[in-house]
Amino acid sequence: MLEIEVYKAQQRQVIEECVRILKPEGSICWEVGNYVTDGEIIPLDILLYECFKDQGMKMRNRIVWHFGPGLHCKKRFSGRYETINWFTKSDEYVFNLDPIRVPQKYPGKRHFKGPNRGKLSGNPKGKNPSDVWNIPNVKANHVEKTEHPCQFPVSLVQRLVLAMTNEDDLVLDPFMGIGTAVVAAVINGRRGAGAEVVERYYELAVERVKMALVGELRIRPDQPVYEPPPNSKLTMDLWEDQRS
Ligand SMILES: C[S@@+](CC[C@H](N)C(=O)[O-])C[C@H]1O[C@@H](n2cnc3c(N)ncnc32)[C@H](O)[C@@H]1O
């Protein structure tokens, strides 16, 4: 069997088990990128979509997680996103928008005509974050960086936890790594559980969760990424750095 087919068969097994134990109002979020072979990409969400549909799951969003630093490609565009594929088991699913609203671009903007003239045009609690999220990935100088090569930022998982679960709900990550999903769960009054094959990562996960529970884990807040204006000196310096 091809490597990619082995991967799909293993993923199918885990997906089936996750669906089996999921509560009727629960959600599954499957985060994947692209498999690259000889310069060809295979989008893993396309590959795995049928594993969810075969289980009767319904897709609610395909969230694009966009991030900055990464490998520079020479013969195709450099990859700067992965996707979070959100499925629910039923139509009665939990979705809390208020806790994950993000700041309005123009918070004080008001309607200037019509029956709502003078009233705020956007929700003062903030706007829906949309299905494209710009959150830095955890690279060398990120405050959350550990020895794990591909850990998620807490704020990425936290948005999912806050939106798709209520307090005391259980968050399970079958590919737990160093426990980011469990951390995001426990700092928000949820319960967390996970599975990890590499013992060292499991140990780190336990350590991080313990630190998170006493407020000692350093976590980057979920705040907008600073983008310098296009012609600023900083932008031009970054541009030069990237070209050299
Ligand atoms: C992309 S990483 C997850 C990182 C995690 N989201 C975090 O932020 O720490 C995937 C993890 O799944 C683990 N893994 C791979 N196959 C596994 C399996 N069959 N059962 C449990 N864990 C597995 C790997 O060791 C790796 O740490």
Side-chain angles (χ1 to χ4, degrees):
M1 227 197 278
L2 287 173
E3 196 180 322
I4 191 79
E5 285 166 7
V6 173
Y7 165 80
K8 183 175 176 180
Q10 288 171 343
Q11 292 276 297
R12 181 182 283 279
Q13 269 189 311
V14 180
I15 290 166
E16 283 176 7
E17 285 304 292
C18 289
V19 173
R20 182 179 66 77
I21 61 170
L22 185 67
K23 287 194 345 192
E25 67 277 21
S27 290
I28 294 185
C29 295
W30 217 251
E31 201 278 353
V32 287
N34 294 313
Y35 177 79
V36 184
T37 171
D38 287 336
E40 178 188 356
I41 68 161
I42 300 175
L44 295 176
D45 47 12
I46 294 179
L47 185 84
L48 299 180
Y49 179 76
E50 68 177 26
C51 302
F52 290 93
K53 288 309 288 175
D54 290 350
Q55 295 293 306
M57 299 291 282
K58 291 186 179 179
M59 193 176 218
R60 302 296 169 182
N61 275 122
R62 180 172 170 273
I63 301 161
V64 174
W65 170 31
H66 166 62
F67 44 77
L71 295 176
H72 299 294
C73 296
K74 294 262 163 44
K75 291 186 72 179
R76 59 189 174 90
F77 298 112
S78 302
R80 292 293 179 269
Y81 77 91
E82 294 188 349
T83 63
I84 299 163
N85 299 272
W86 171 30
F87 294 88
T88 68
K89 203 172 196 173
S90 74
D91 293 334
E92 303 304 314
Y93 56 91
V94 175
F95 184 56
N96 308 311
L97 182 55
D98 279 351
I100 58 155
R101 287 181 183 278
V102 294
Q104 301 277 1
K105 194 164 185 191
Y106 304 106
K109 197 173 163 203
R110 293 173 189 273
H111 294 281
F112 69 96
K113 60 179 183 183
N116 291 324
R117 186 168 185 268
K119 291 187 186 156
L120 288 172
S121 58
N123 188 325
K125 291 182 191 162
K127 62 177 182 177
N128 184 315
S130 88
D131 57 1
V132 179
W133 297 355
N134 187 6
I135 298 177
N137 51 356
V138 184
K139 292 294 170 200
N141 54 1
H142 194 288
V143 296
E144 294 166 23
K145 182 79 186 106
T146 71
E147 64 197 67
H148 196 288
C150 47
Q151 69 185 89
F152 294 161
V154 173
S155 57
L156 178 79
V157 193
Q158 178 167 263
R159 280 192 188 176
L160 306 170
V161 167
L162 289 171
M164 293 161 204
T165 67
N166 293 319
E167 278 195 23
D168 283 336
D169 281 351
L170 180 63
V171 175
L172 168 72
D173 186 349
F175 300 99
M176 178 176 67
I178 41 110
T180 307
V182 183
V183 166
V186 300
I187 61 173
N188 289 291
R190 278 70 169 166
R191 293 168 296 133
E196 172 55 51
V197 278
V198 178
E199 194 164 352
R200 173 69 184 145
Y201 296 157
Y202 166 76
E203 287 165 4
L204 282 172
V206 172
E207 207 175 294
R208 290 178 86 220
V209 172
K210 283 184 180 162
M211 286 174 73
L213 282 169
V214 293
E216 285 176 5
L217 188 68
R218 287 187 72 199
I219 295 172
R220 182 191 182 275
D222 188 359
Q223 63 193 20
V225 177
Y226 174 69
E227 284 178 16
N231 293 324
S232 72
K233 178 158 180 346
L234 180 57
T235 305
M236 299 319 279
D237 288 350
L238 287 172
W239 172 239
E240 287 304 325
D241 281 356
Q242 280 185 5
R243 285 156 56 100
S244 57

